[in-house]
Amino acid sequence: MGRAFEFRKERKMKRWAGMAKTFTRIGREIAIAVKSGGGDPAYNPSLRLAVQNAKTANMPKQNVENAIKKATSKDAENFQEVIYEGYGPNKVAFVVETATDNPTRTIATVRMHFNRNGGEIVESGTHNFIFDRKGVIKINSEGQDLEELELLLIDYGLESILKEDDDIMITVPFSDYGTMLKGLEEQNIEILSAEAVRLPTVVKNVAEDHLEAIIKLIDKLEEEDDITNVFHNMDMSEES
């Protein structure tokens, strides 16, 4: 899990680091969270997570407050989460998560990129067996005993725990994601980052002559404002 997740995370962070779109996308995440659970982070776990993600991306506090205020106004844009699935070159499976106020525009854009880069859109649910949805949370390892922490977090749905450099990576089934976030808060454990991801259960070996086309498709999708996450099942092992 680690290599594939870190590859995707590294690409995402590099992309966000140099793009003004970062705050726009976080603003949409905040808007969706507010719509689903209200504008008070104390009573809205989804909003607390969005605010945490804003902090991780170095979004100014004033920008976050403005985004919440805008999302609670009567003139707030009606963003919604829409998921699209497809195949890229070499039959690599893709799941594309979006936050959009115009699904008609968004599906046209997603389909265009797949068609232009040797792929196709498929029916929703086609890839249910290919990806597992997980919550991946990073905390600081300083002052933490890994064995004690593991025992403590089992009650919150812990699936796996791994120390990586100065951080600890915690993985939970998506159904326990909110429970784990709340548990870490209750234990006064600072969350460095948290994300709902789709990890492949079946990986696809990619022919070398298809690799460039797959990377190009990923890049084109990630450039779009409406698209928040792009997941794929390309084999990311050392041997591929």
Side-chain angles (χ1 to χ4, degrees), residues 127-146:
H127 296 337
N128 283 348
F129 72 98
I130 296 178
F131 295 91
D132 269 346
R133 202 169 188 202
K134 306 287 187 181
V136 178
I137 305 163
K138 277 190 176 183
I139 64 172
N140 194 312
S141 64
E142 185 177 356
Q144 298 290 349
D145 181 289
L146 201 62

Side-chain angles (χ1 to χ4, degrees), residues 102-154:
N102 188 334
T104 301
R105 176 194 67 222
T106 303
I107 182 57
T109 300
V110 173
R111 182 178 286 113
M112 174 191 71
H113 287 308
F114 272 94
N115 290 345
R116 289 183 178 179
N117 292 280
E120 62 176 339
I121 295 292
V122 297
E123 185 178 352
S124 178
T126 300
H127 296 337
N128 283 348
F129 72 98
I130 296 178
F131 295 91
D132 269 346
R133 202 169 188 202
K134 306 287 187 181
V136 178
I137 305 163
K138 277 190 176 183
I139 64 172
N140 194 312
S141 64
E142 185 177 356
Q144 298 290 349
D145 181 289
L146 201 62
E147 291 186 3
E148 290 183 1
L149 186 62
E150 183 175 8
L151 291 173
L152 176 66
L153 298 181
I154 285 176

